[in-house]
Amino acid sequence: MAIWNLGSINLDLVYSLSRFPTPGETLAAGEFERFLGGKGANMSVAAARAGATVHHIGAAGHDGAEIVQKLSDFGVDVTEVVPVEQPTGHAVIYVVDNKDSDEAGENQIVLFPGANRALTFEQVENALSGAQAGDVFVTQNETNMQVEACQIAAQKGLRVCYAAAPFDAASVASVLPYLDFLILNQIEADQLFDETGQRPEELGIKDVIVTLGGDGARHIDGTSGEITTSRAFDVEVVDTTGAGDTFTGYVLAALEAGQTMRTAMETASRAAAVMVTRRGTADVIPTMAEVTSADLA
Ligand code: RIB
């Protein structure tokens, strides 16, 4: 069994600030670091670090060789990452590193999609030709070809999962007919309700996870209606960037490995808790060994 991830690959340019800038203001950053990122790449790395076999489907420009190599070094199969003319996607990320601020660990992100939106139908179809019924397909809202890929994956009998970030109700609505699994946060669930008039449990999807930040996560079994909750862990938050992606990658890998939904969510919550104690994105996603040995309260 394997995970096939149609996902973004970004170069993350991360600036640490004492607070977020106001319009028109010039503010000096305390630190600057570069990371492999993109919600897609982060999920692939998280799932690989959790022990899954992960095939990433994506695109990068001529300037992207180094970060694609990094993705590969983190244990992700990049055979289906194609070179394109467009520049590699990148993200400018501000993180507040002021412990006294209410915004400590929070981020603001500006995305340049670039190559992430240059995929073709033929590429996606060809990439998924190696997938088997029973494999997992996951995508997010940072590439093109989401609907087409979900349709192909569903036709092939894959378990189709959508991580609804960055959130756009119309994008969720367009993939809904193909989904077996939806992961979104509470604010996004509320936005989806405003748009569709449906609560997560009314969407007709087999599995829905609503992440609740500091309150953990809730799984809704769309068939039985059964609700499973997992708690959050109390840690000192350094940087929340990529924590949701880490949760998703870990939960999918744990389910692939045969864990129950309750255990998978517990493992994923632990991974996300470790992740928020670290500054950065894919490069600092914890390994399974780090997750299991972490001293979490
Ligand atoms: O979720 C965090 C990610 O969002 C970053 O890695 C950035 O690239 C954006 O895609």
Side-chain angles (χ1 to χ4, degrees):
M1 296 284 190
I3 296 174
W4 299 79
N5 180 5
L6 168 65
S8 54
I9 302 169
N10 290 339
L11 172 63
D12 284 354
L13 307 172
V14 181
Y15 301 85
S16 301
L17 302 169
S18 57
R19 59 180 172 78
F20 293 122
T22 54
E25 182 182 22
T26 301
L27 195 59
E31 289 194 51
F32 166 62
E33 286 176 279
R34 293 162 188 261
F35 297 94
L36 165 65
K39 295 182 196 309
N42 295 341
M43 287 176 201
S44 282
V45 171
R49 292 203 147 174
T53 299
V54 186
H55 305 280
H56 195 95
I57 305 168
H62 300 299
D63 53 346
E66 199 180 316
I67 57 169
V68 174
Q69 183 59 48
K70 240 187 199 186
L71 186 57
S72 172
D73 292 345
F74 288 138
V76 176
D77 172 32
V78 295
T79 311
E80 304 302 341
V81 175
V82 297
V84 294
E85 286 305 315
Q86 288 82 348
T88 302
H90 70 261
V92 174
I93 304 179
Y94 299 158
V95 178
V96 172
D97 68 353
N98 176 358
K99 283 184 186 163
D100 298 328
S101 167
D102 289 346
E103 292 169 332
E106 296 296 331
N107 63 42
Q108 288 183 344
I109 302 178
V110 176
L111 272 184
F112 175 72
N116 294 316
R117 295 212 177 266
L119 287 104
T120 63
F121 180 82
E122 289 70 30
Q123 181 205 342
V124 172
E125 191 178 41
N126 185 50
L128 284 171
S129 64
Q132 307 290 322
D135 284 353
V136 170
F137 172 77
V138 61
T139 192
Q140 327 74 29
N141 190 23
E142 287 188 346
T143 67
N144 63 333
M145 290 291 146
Q146 294 163 38
V147 179
E148 294 85 350
C150 286
Q151 192 173 13
I152 295 169
Q155 276 165 359
K156 288 181 72 86
L158 277 70
R159 184 181 195 182
V160 180
C161 175
Y162 191 68
F167 184 77
D168 172 56
S171 298
V172 181
S174 65
V175 295
L176 267 182
Y178 311 108
L179 298 189
D180 300 298
F181 200 159
L182 175 66
I183 301 181
L184 73 181
N185 67 34
Q186 184 63 62
I187 296 166
E188 294 161 350
D190 292 343
Q191 288 173 336
L192 193 60
F193 176 74
D194 291 343
E195 191 75 16
T196 64
Q198 289 175 300
R199 304 245 171 243
E201 58 273 28
E202 297 164 345
L203 293 170
I205 299 175
K206 285 187 203 122
D207 293 290
V208 180
I209 291 181
V210 181
T211 58
L212 307 167
D215 291 325
R218 182 172 68 241
H219 169 254
I220 302 144
D221 183 317
T223 311
S224 67
E226 190 185 340
I227 307 264
T228 305
T229 55
S230 70
R231 68 191 182 107
F233 295 90
D234 194 12
V235 291
E236 187 170 329
V237 176
V238 171
D239 178 2
T240 55
T241 318
D245 307 333
T246 300
F247 180 93
T248 298
Y250 260 84
V251 92
L252 293 180
L255 291 171
E256 269 292 279
Q259 291 187 20
T260 62
M261 184 60 76
R262 183 180 298 281
T263 315
M265 285 169 65
E266 167 90 9
T267 307
S269 296
R270 289 181 66 88
V274 175
M275 184 63 180
V276 300
T277 66
R278 302 172 172 189
R279 185 170 57 229
T281 38
D283 306 57
V284 299
I285 291 172
T287 62
M288 182 61 100
E290 290 171 326
V291 170
T292 47
S293 65
D295 185 17
L296 298 170

